[in-house]
Amino acid sequence: MQADIFIKRRNGGLLFFASLAILTAGSMIITEYDVLKGFTSIAGALIWGFSNFYPDAGSMQKLGDIMLKLRETVLMSIASTTVAAVFAILLALAGSRTTRMNNLFSVAARGIASVFRNIPLVAWAMVLMLAFSQSPLTGYLALFFGSLGFLARAFMETIDEVSNNSVEALQATGAGYFHIIFQAVLPSSMPQMISWLLYMIETNIRDATLVGILTGTGIGFSFELYYKSLNYHAASLVVILIVITVIVIESISNKIRRVIL
Amino acid sequence: MQIEESIKGWGQLSSDEIADTPVRPLNRSSFAMRIILLILSVLTIYALSTIDYNSVDIKKAVSDTLSNFKTMFLQPYSHRFSLPDAFYGVVVTMGLAFLTTLFGGIIALFLGLLAAQNLGLKQVANIIKVFVAFIRAVPTILWVLIFAVSAGLGSAAAVIGMTFHSVSYLTKAYSESFEDLDRSVIEALMASGANWWQIVFQAVIPSSVTYLLSWTFLRFEINFANAVAMGAAAGAAGIGFDLFMASGFYFDLREVGLITYFILAFAMALESLSTNMKGRLRKRI
Amino acid sequence: MALLELRNVTKCYNSASTALSDVSFSVREGEFVSVIGPSGAGKSTMLRCINRMIEVTGGEIYFDGVIVSKLNKRDLRKLRTKIGMIFQHYNLVDRLTVIENVLHGRLGYKSTLAGVLGRYSQEEKGQAFRIIKFLGLNEQVYSRCDQLSGGQKQRVGIARALVQNPKMILCDEPIASLDPNASKIIMDHLRNVSTGMGITMIVNLHQVNVALKYSDRIIGVNKGKVVFDGSPAELTPERIYDIYGSESGDLIVDLGERNAS
């Protein structure tokens, strides 16, 4: 009895680490991941990076082109996130436990959100590519579908978390459904929702690079172009500009969060 | 009747003041929110109006896409590979996600301890935070492609590149969980003569373990999606590569449908598993 | 013989604010000393200077024959094992069990690795169980600390201090968050520990009547200075006025029982 909890803790710990080890070994075998090669490649990449991966004078001439693509990508990320947010609010209101109209709608809204969230961005991009080809709309729509699922879930959780009590209070006064939505639910969950919206814009700028590489649009396309033609100086310039953009947008949204939350 | 009279009575008391007072005063926060929503709407309208619509016949593209979705989701089938092949592909992708989450988690645990303001030196914490923010700002796919130059396209580059991003993400999440921790427990153990490592393993980690695990599970889900993407865009093995071949090479929508269903099923299983685990851990530990 | 001696101890947080100025007193072995004074008088700072949770700016502290401020990191850990500490908010790891929290008191005696892994010897566990039983917590040994009441948590805090085998225990407002009933239990335990085991107690208190009832000696602090040092019998209403200043008008002082010693 005395050392009961300690033996239990130790066995639990051993079991946990043993199963982690087995899963790790299994994953390494199945993915054919070579640990040694993995670690040596870090050093190799660092050496290569310092000697080749920096912008030089020649790449600076591409700055104008790259900035144009970057602007397109940033605008696309913002537009797709904002439009997705509008639809996500509708889904969230229909799906949330506190604001749902009836069970059927709620289950349907949750199901739609879950499907959209779990279909990977790549699949959206690849399918849209088939019909829209290399148009900016391909990237825009792929990001839209990807954001929709994520934002719907985030908004649903926000609504559930924030507005439970106030909804009950307004119901008790006899307020109608839309009164409650516009006077209690939306005002109280708005700061949190905007915070999620900003987070999604940050994420989408990063994801836009991936989508761009797959669909040949925006900043991702610029990177792919220079990377494939072994113009690493210009490619590094693209990376640096992306980093600056993401960090600037991240710090702007952090400032905004501090004001609104 | 009586009630109405009495309300009228109140109104007479201060009707002038009531008339001018807005119900929801415009404070700093709600003012900022309005401005942000306004700016975002303007940018969105601008972006949508400047997209080059000429390169594509939108009506046709939309109807094509809808019929593509119909083929994909209603007639999933493949003659190139069997269900066990697809299953194997998803398992490989899952393996990539697992490895990157594990490596990322272990490294991030130590970096997170150093990056927490309340546990270490402030300067060290700030340096790590800046470093990690830089790594996070580079998209995962770019890390993988950069490593691919020296390691070659494949699982090594994918795992290392994705681990980089996981480390930065989890370091931020972990260090914030540690910073939320009540300073008092650390003080109590310090007063009894415990040293830094003992305090970390006896008080800090046990107190924040549920947060650490929920962030890790969340990152596992993200890494699964990332691993699919790396398969498609950076030639890593797994279902992502099959997806890329099916749509970008063979243009076989029915196969894309089958693969999408497989990914969807695994992603949803992963999501419910992690929700379930989080619930159980919260009760047990 | 004096176990603890403070000589001209001064603590400034910055040039503007002085938390302690020129504090001197000594405490005999086995003595039960209460420190009273208004909020922000420096009681808490004084306590934390003794085990160097806060570094002093001037003056010297002697404990058990050594100069506290001269100790290196290693010897400071050794010193801290000899001084237990009890806190207002208990400062337990809520997610762990009672026995694990109590055994945390042994960490100062252990190697880093043994402490990290939480390996404790049979004797240490036996000692912990005896102390838990002595404090009347034997039914909660394996309960998680977040399931305990405030009074029970504070008893775990006392147990954690006792398992250190301390010569002295510092108590920082041990009953400020407890109801009167639990407060009495805790103060009785502290008094028993002091008398029965000969452990020196220094207790910061808000309640003058509690200090009068339990202490061998009372130290009054105001604005970082010692303004009273004497037996409970010497603490007259006038002296209480000295300690609390104008605040004492609002104090509900019930000078009921006094500890006769």
Side-chain angles (χ1 to χ4, degrees):
Chain A
M1 178 65 199
Q2 241 196 24
D4 196 11
I5 186 126
F6 296 97
I7 290 171
K8 231 167 85 186
R9 276 274 150 91
R10 197 196 318 162
N11 290 347
L14 282 178
L15 194 70
F16 177 71
F17 283 109
S19 41
L20 266 194
I22 291 169
L23 279 174
T24 310
S27 302
M28 282 183 181
I29 292 166
I30 205 166
T31 59
E32 292 162 20
Y33 173 69
D34 184 342
V35 188
L36 212 63
K37 192 179 166 196
F39 284 113
T40 48
S41 77
I42 298 181
L46 280 179
I47 295 165
W48 173 81
F50 281 115
S51 47
N52 294 298
F53 208 68
Y54 56 87
D56 62 0
S59 63
M60 281 313 201
Q61 288 167 354
K62 308 243 162 47
L63 190 64
D65 289 349
I66 298 174
M67 288 305 275
L68 215 64
K69 288 285 187 191
L70 188 63
R71 201 187 73 133
E72 182 193 316
T73 303
V74 171
L75 280 176
M76 194 173 81
S77 309
I78 292 176
S80 56
T81 315
T82 317
V83 177
V86 174
F87 288 93
I89 287 185
L90 297 180
L91 273 182
L93 288 175
S96 155
R97 248 175 289 121
T98 40
T99 58
R100 66 181 173 199
M101 293 200 211
N102 61 47
N103 243 332
L104 191 70
F105 269 27
S106 169
V107 171
R110 278 173 185 269
I112 292 170
S114 174
V115 167
F116 272 88
R117 186 171 60 250
N118 283 315
I119 292 181
L121 198 55
V122 189
W124 290 122
M126 301 305 296
V127 174
L128 289 163
M129 232 307 252
L130 294 176
F132 283 89
S133 68
Q134 275 197 327
S135 151
L137 276 175
T138 318
Y140 169 78
L141 287 173
L143 289 180
F144 168 78
F145 286 126
S147 315
L148 181 60
F150 181 89
L151 285 178
R153 167 153 101 164
F155 287 179
M156 248 178 240
E157 281 172 8
T158 305
I159 292 175
D160 280 345
E161 208 173 284
V162 169
S163 40
N164 219 343
N165 297 329
S166 52
V167 167
E168 196 185 6
L170 280 200
Q171 269 169 351
T173 67
Y177 179 76
F178 287 101
H179 294 158
I180 295 175
I181 299 291
F182 282 96
Q183 294 304 319
V185 176
L186 288 182
S188 53
S189 42
M190 197 46 91
Q192 199 60 47
M193 283 185 181
I194 289 181
S195 172
W196 280 117
L197 181 68
L198 295 169
Y199 171 79
M200 201 67 225
I201 290 176
E202 290 162 32
T203 312
N204 271 347
I205 288 177
R206 277 194 294 257
D207 283 348
T209 318
L210 170 71
V211 173
I213 287 175
L214 286 171
T215 62
T217 53
I219 193 79
F221 181 61
S222 304
F223 180 84
E224 175 95 332
L225 199 68
Y226 300 131
Y227 180 82
K228 285 243 165 99
S229 61
L230 308 182
N231 185 353
Y232 292 128
H233 296 299
S236 70
L237 186 65
V238 175
V239 174
I240 289 171
L241 288 174
I242 293 175
V243 168
I244 294 173
T245 312
V246 170
I247 288 182
V248 165
I249 289 187
E250 214 179 276
S251 56
I252 292 176
S253 16
N254 282 341
K255 285 231 167 65
I256 295 174
R257 282 199 190 95
R258 233 166 285 146
V259 175
I260 62 175
L261 285 180
Chain B
M1 256 354 252
Q2 243 180 338
I3 294 171
E4 241 175 66
E5 265 170 38
S6 75
I7 289 175
K8 262 183 214 156
W10 291 345
Q12 279 162 5
L13 283 174
S14 55
S15 58
D16 302 341
E17 289 159 42
I18 287 174
D20 298 339
T21 321
V23 181
R24 207 184 295 158
L26 203 61
N27 58 20
R28 214 161 103 87
S29 156
S30 59
F31 181 70
M33 285 198 287
R34 278 180 205 193
I35 295 286
I36 290 153
L37 290 180
L38 186 71
I39 291 174
L40 289 180
S41 320
V42 169
L43 284 175
T44 303
I45 292 166
Y46 176 72
L48 291 181
S49 64
T50 52
I51 285 184
D52 175 17
Y53 293 103
N54 296 326
S55 62
V56 58
D57 178 357
I58 296 188
K59 242 187 216 159
K60 189 172 169 302
V62 170
S63 71
D64 279 0
T65 306
L66 286 179
S67 82
N68 284 351
F69 280 150
K70 221 166 87 188
T71 321
M72 248 176 83
F73 288 118
L74 298 183
Q75 304 159 323
Y77 175 75
S78 170
H79 54 83
R80 246 179 307 279
F81 56 77
S82 59
L83 291 183
D85 288 341
F87 186 78
Y88 182 76
V90 188
V91 171
V92 169
T93 302
M94 202 61 110
L96 286 175
F98 179 80
L99 282 182
T100 49
T101 312
L102 181 75
F103 293 162
I106 292 169
I107 300 169
L109 186 62
F110 289 97
L111 284 181
L113 288 169
L114 292 176
Q117 297 274 1
N118 51 346
L119 297 178
L121 295 172
K122 278 228 164 80
Q123 291 95 321
V124 178
N126 287 333
I127 290 170
I128 290 177
K129 277 189 174 154
V130 170
F131 174 65
V132 155
F134 171 78
I135 293 181
R136 207 173 40 244
V138 180
T140 314
I141 177 68
L142 297 192
W143 278 121
V144 173
L145 289 177
I146 290 168
F147 280 109
V149 175
S150 61
L153 286 174
S155 63
V159 168
I160 298 294
M162 283 162 63
T163 300
F164 257 64
H165 219 262
S166 304
V167 166
S168 65
Y169 180 92
L170 289 176
T171 301
K172 180 169 189 264
Y174 289 174
S175 65
E176 280 166 8
S177 312
F178 295 144
E179 279 166 4
D180 281 344
L181 192 70
D182 200 354
R183 169 103 200 122
S184 63
V185 184
I186 300 169
E187 193 189 14
L189 290 200
M190 239 159 79
S192 74
N195 67 20
W196 192 82
W197 287 107
Q198 293 173 338
I199 293 174
V200 163
F201 279 89
Q202 289 297 317
V204 176
I205 292 179
S207 303
S208 43
V209 71
T210 44
Y211 295 104
L212 302 187
L213 285 172
S214 10
W215 281 114
T216 313
F217 281 129
L218 185 64
R219 188 65 214 184
F220 192 24
E221 290 174 44
I222 297 174
N223 276 348
F224 179 70
N226 275 346
V228 174
M230 294 316 121
I239 196 83
F241 185 68
D242 299 330
L243 177 65
F244 177 74
M245 292 306 281
S247 69
F249 198 75
Y250 298 116
F251 302 107
D252 186 341
L253 278 168
R254 298 172 67 187
E255 199 172 291
V256 172
L258 182 76
I259 293 170
T260 307
Y261 271 123
F262 257 94
I263 298 173
L264 191 59
F266 264 72
M268 287 174 112
L270 198 61
E271 188 184 314
S272 72
L273 181 80
S274 82
T275 316
N276 192 348
M277 289 275 259
K278 273 183 260 176
R280 274 175 46 190
L281 280 167
R282 208 156 285 154
K283 265 182 249 146
R284 268 192 49 214
I285 294 184
Chain C
M1 195 202 121
L3 178 72
L4 171 77
E5 190 174 351
L6 278 75
R7 276 188 209 158
N8 313 104
V9 170
T10 305
K11 172 69 194 175
C12 309
Y13 281 109
N14 49 49
S15 54
S17 73
T18 311
L20 293 177
S21 63
D22 209 18
V23 171
S24 302
F25 63 87
S26 65
V27 178
R28 275 182 294 109
E29 213 166 324
E31 222 175 354
F32 191 115
V33 180
S34 292
V35 181
I36 58 171
S39 311
K43 303 191 294 285
S44 196
T45 306
M46 191 171 90
L47 223 56
R48 281 170 173 73
C49 284
I50 294 172
N51 61 355
R52 257 177 75 187
M53 299 297 285
I54 293 175
E55 299 286 343
V56 295
T57 352
E60 251 141 32
I61 297 172
Y62 298 82
F63 177 78
D64 204 19
V66 296
I67 302 174
V68 175
S69 56
K70 297 250 168 76
L71 295 176
N72 61 25
K73 222 173 156 184
R74 208 192 142 94
D75 289 332
L76 177 64
R77 274 187 69 195
K78 217 187 264 167
L79 172 96
R80 282 178 178 169
T81 61
K82 287 193 268 176
I83 305 177
M85 193 161 186
I86 292 168
F87 304 84
Q88 177 183 349
H89 299 293
Y90 332 121
N91 299 13
L92 305 174
V93 181
D94 276 343
R95 312 186 52 82
L96 297 181
T97 57
V98 167
I99 179 74
E100 284 170 295
N101 267 293
V102 172
L103 282 166
H104 278 169
R106 297 301 300 177
L107 287 175
Y109 290 98
K110 307 196 83 64
S111 74
T112 300
L113 189 66
V116 163
L117 296 176
R119 291 285 169 81
Y120 303 98
S121 69
Q122 281 307 324
E123 284 129 282
E124 285 173 324
K125 285 178 199 165
Q127 174 76 349
F129 277 104
R130 272 194 296 281
I131 291 169
I132 290 170
K133 202 168 173 196
F134 168 73
L135 293 170
L137 284 172
N138 33 351
E139 275 171 33
Q140 284 83 21
V141 177
Y142 295 115
S143 308
R144 264 173 59 158
C145 285
D146 48 11
Q147 291 161 352
L148 302 183
S149 70
Q152 289 171 328
K153 282 184 186 177
Q154 194 57 291
R155 279 186 270 164
V156 177
I158 298 175
R160 181 175 60 190
L162 284 179
V163 87
Q164 283 178 238
N165 247 334
K167 292 200 161 179
M168 176 170 81
I169 295 180
L170 307 170
C171 309
D172 189 21
E173 308 277 5
I175 55 169
S177 310
L178 297 178
D179 63 63
N181 215 349
S183 296
K184 187 179 178 311
I185 295 173
I186 293 300
M187 289 310 295
D188 286 344
H189 275 305
L190 291 179
R191 183 69 238 188
N192 283 344
V193 164
S194 174
T195 322
M197 306 182 185
I199 295 174
T200 312
M201 289 280 171
I202 301 186
V203 189
N204 281 353
L205 282 174
H206 258 322
Q207 299 90 331
V208 178
N209 54 336
V210 175
L212 289 171
K213 186 178 167 199
Y214 288 94
S215 331
D216 298 327
R217 198 171 128 207
I218 294 175
I219 292 177
V221 182
N222 190 348
K223 288 182 186 146
K225 289 196 176 72
V226 173
V227 291
F228 174 83
D229 186 349
S231 69
E234 293 169 272
L235 191 68
T236 57
E238 293 78 48
R239 308 309 299 269
I240 293 174
Y241 181 84
D242 286 345
I243 297 170
Y244 283 91
S246 51
E247 262 185 57
S248 65
D250 310 326
L251 278 179
I252 309 158
V253 183
D254 169 23
L255 308 176
E257 299 175 67
R258 288 174 194 231
N259 190 22
S261 64

